[in-house]
Amino acid sequence: MVQGLAFLSKKSWHTKNLANQEKVWMAEQQAAAEASKTKELAKQIQQEKEQEELDRIAGKKSNQLDRGIDWMYQGGTGEAAKEEAAKTAEEYLLGKEYVPEGAGKGGDFTANENTGINTVLKNAAAPPPALEQKHAADTTEAPADNQLYDEGPSVSDRNEQFRMRHEDPMFNVSQRQKEKTDQKEKKTGFV
């Protein structure tokens, strides 16, 4: 070794330093132990897969737990759901009428008349109680056929009114102007 470079062997990062050689040897030993452990686990997993394959071919059911995450991607609750789906499919193929859950017989969805949009439509179609009393007092004979359908605004009219109230800025401006004029008329007495 060159005389001028002898000081390098005393540096902490030098490869010939005994402490550094010991660290390298320890790291190599840990890596070898980890590699042998990984190899052993891979061999064990391969043996388990082969055993499961043989059991599946033989028709035996495995008592071991599924270690994978495949169960998260399968629908239903397992065997019972598969059997129910197979039974429903078989009945459908044999000619039985398919009725989805929550549906009434004959394909109409009348089983839940008091839920969802049906409730909203019933409440919107029913006039307020004060209007019912006034209507009952004014008319004593049966209503004509055209009066049955002209009781209130249609669904599309209600949708348009809702859209205007919530989305149209000019509608809001005109409503405020109308409220101001109404307030002025009330103050002056020109109602």
Side-chain angles (χ1 to χ4, degrees):
M1 189 166 190
V2 179
Q3 251 336 306
L5 300 177
F7 69 94
L8 289 178
S9 64
K10 294 181 171 78
K11 297 293 182 183
S12 63
W13 45 263
H14 196 268
T15 56
K16 297 278 184 181
N17 191 347
L18 224 55
N20 288 341
Q21 288 179 354
E22 185 181 354
K23 287 179 188 176
V24 168
W25 183 79
M26 293 292 280
E28 287 173 351
Q29 293 299 317
Q30 280 184 338
E34 190 174 327
S36 66
K37 192 182 286 187
T38 305
K39 202 177 217 182
E40 186 179 326
L41 285 174
K43 184 179 178 183
Q44 182 182 359
I45 289 172
Q46 182 64 29
Q47 288 175 346
E48 288 177 2
K49 284 183 181 179
E50 289 174 0
Q51 184 64 38
E52 286 176 6
E53 182 69 21
L54 290 173
D55 288 346
R56 188 183 60 81
I57 291 171
K60 295 180 183 176
K61 293 197 176 198
S62 175
N63 292 336
Q64 282 190 337
L65 296 173
D66 185 17
R67 294 183 186 170
I69 59 171
D70 293 338
W71 59 270
M72 291 190 335
Y73 300 106
Q74 295 173 351
T77 58
E79 293 280 330
K82 289 179 184 175
E83 290 176 9
E84 183 65 28
K87 180 181 173 188
T88 306
E90 184 68 25
E91 289 175 351
Y92 178 73
L93 290 173
L94 292 174
K96 185 176 178 186
E97 181 182 359
Y98 175 71
V99 180
E101 290 182 22
K105 295 222 177 206
D108 60 343
F109 290 86
T110 57
N112 296 329
E113 288 183 357
N114 297 327
T115 60
I117 191 70
N118 294 328
T119 305
V120 174
L121 291 175
K122 281 183 184 178
N123 292 340
L131 239 148
E132 280 183 11
Q133 292 172 358
K134 182 180 177 185
H135 182 68
D138 290 346
T139 60
T140 55
E141 71 263 356
D145 288 337
N146 61 355
Q147 285 182 343
L148 291 176
Y149 298 108
D150 295 335
E151 287 185 5
S154 68
V155 174
S156 61
D157 291 339
R158 290 194 305 261
N159 287 342
E160 182 65 23
Q161 290 171 357
F162 178 83
R163 186 192 62 76
M164 286 184 65
R165 281 193 308 267
H166 293 283
E167 295 177 3
D168 189 12
M170 287 305 295
F171 181 77
N172 291 335
V173 169
S174 64
Q175 287 293 93
R176 287 187 199 125
Q177 288 176 347
K178 185 177 178 184
E179 289 173 3
K180 287 180 183 178
T181 56
D182 289 344
Q183 288 175 357
K184 287 180 184 177
E185 287 177 357
K186 285 183 181 177
K187 286 181 182 177
T188 57
F190 290 119
V191 178

